[in-house]
Amino acid sequence: MKRKNLIFIILILTMILSSCKKDNTGQVVNGYTEIGELKLEQVQMPEVGEEIAVITTNMGVMKIRLFPDIAPMAVGNFTTLAKEGFYDGIKITRIEPNYLIQSGKHKDYEKGKSIFGDPFDDEFDENYVHITGAVGLAKVEPNKNRSTFYIVYRKGLEEEYFEMMREMDEDGQSKDIIDAYEALGGISALDGEYTIFAQVFYGIDTVMEINNLEIDPLNMEPIKDVVIETIEIVPFEGK
């Protein structure tokens, strides 16, 4: 057990301290991220007719596949608020380069909004993780989720990370997850800490463009305004 704990600590330090050598977040063709033969369910395309979210910003469009079976409260809160126009006009106010982008505050709800009244509980599934394109809920403490969301954008990780990750495979870290992290990059340290409720399948190039903007280092806000114009909840019609 001590050896496994040491391996986990080394993994975290590797992710924080090392610069990334790989850059294989997937070829983008007509806005869609080509993911090859990855088997992880999280990165599969939605079925025709499946409900998706189309996020239109002043810098481009992102389409996300929702996971209502995995995170029903998070998806219910997000889709209900989107249909009400809650997100219209909200800015992306936090950018951590090669890490993530995050939605900002609503003028009437400084801490975000929950359709349930109180903040709602975390929803975790070990097979839904913080790979690039994952959409999760931001929070300040456990089980205090509201409307603020983030999108992961982190390039490939050090090869040493994957070697150690495979050593831990005996504890249940599936090959499909390891393959997805190796192909797409991500932030494994956040797994099991924040709710993942969706995945970008179109427009990861827009996420990248936003993530690459110049920011104010004091508050991580972009110098250029990035505005969510609308979020539409619509059936997927196929490519």
Side-chain angles (χ1 to χ4, degrees):
M1 181 63 71
K2 290 182 179 179
R3 179 176 178 273
K4 292 177 180 176
N5 288 339
L6 177 60
I7 290 173
F8 180 75
I9 292 171
I10 293 172
L11 285 176
I12 300 304
L13 290 174
T14 299
M15 293 181 66
I16 294 173
L17 298 177
S18 63
S19 61
C20 296
K21 293 181 180 177
K22 290 192 172 186
D23 186 4
N24 52 358
T25 49
Q27 181 182 9
V28 178
V29 179
N30 295 328
Y32 292 86
T33 304
E34 299 296 319
I35 58 173
E37 299 299 320
L38 292 180
K39 297 179 180 179
L40 190 68
E41 173 59 28
Q42 180 178 342
V43 300
Q44 304 309 308
M45 291 290 289
E47 299 287 340
V48 172
E50 184 178 330
E51 197 168 68
I52 64 169
V54 180
I55 304 174
T56 301
T57 76
N58 62 322
M59 290 188 63
V61 174
M62 298 166 277
K63 298 180 182 180
I64 65 175
R65 183 185 177 199
L66 303 165
F67 304 131
D69 293 338
I70 301 304
M73 289 186 295
V75 171
N77 193 69
F78 178 82
T79 57
T80 298
L81 294 178
K83 291 174 182 177
E84 293 175 352
F86 176 86
Y87 292 103
D88 299 358
I90 286 181
K91 296 178 181 179
I92 300 295
T93 57
R94 184 173 184 84
I95 294 177
E96 296 187 46
N98 194 32
Y99 203 75
L100 57 77
I101 64 175
Q102 183 171 304
S103 66
K105 298 177 181 178
H106 188 283
K107 61 183 180 63
D108 296 326
Y109 296 89
E110 287 288 306
K111 296 182 179 180
K113 184 177 181 180
S114 166
I115 64 171
F116 308 104
D118 295 326
F120 52 94
D121 289 345
D122 299 324
E123 298 171 296
F124 302 134
D125 186 293
E126 63 182 9
N127 294 309
Y128 289 75
V129 294
H130 285 78
I131 53 176
T132 288
V135 187
L137 287 178
K139 62 183 181 183
V140 294
E141 56 184 299
N143 299 310
K144 296 292 184 182
N145 296 289
R146 293 184 176 90
S147 54
T148 303
F149 67 91
Y150 59 86
I151 302 175
V152 173
Y153 184 81
R154 182 179 173 88
K155 299 176 186 177
L157 306 176
E158 291 275 0
E159 179 57 33
E160 290 84 355
Y161 170 86
F162 297 105
E163 292 174 1
M164 290 183 288
M165 202 172 187
R166 290 186 185 99
E167 285 189 42
M168 297 177 66
D169 193 21
E170 61 187 76
D171 277 350
Q173 189 70 292
S174 78
K175 181 179 183 301
D176 292 346
I177 291 175
I178 296 172
D179 288 347
Y181 268 117
E182 189 163 22
L184 303 176
I187 316 171
S188 178
L190 300 183
D191 293 343
E193 298 291 333
Y194 296 87
T195 297
I196 295 296
F197 70 93
Q199 177 75 27
V200 175
F201 66 90
Y202 173 93
I204 198 66
D205 49 348
T206 298
V207 179
M208 177 182 68
E209 186 178 355
I210 295 171
N211 188 255
N212 287 336
L213 288 174
E214 181 183 359
I215 61 172
D216 181 337
L218 295 179
N219 56 21
M220 310 300 284
E221 289 191 20
I223 303 301
K224 171 184 176 178
D225 283 347
V226 184
V227 182
I228 298 173
E229 296 174 350
T230 62
I231 298 182
E232 300 173 279
I233 308 300
V234 299
F236 180 57
E237 297 179 349
K239 285 190 178 183

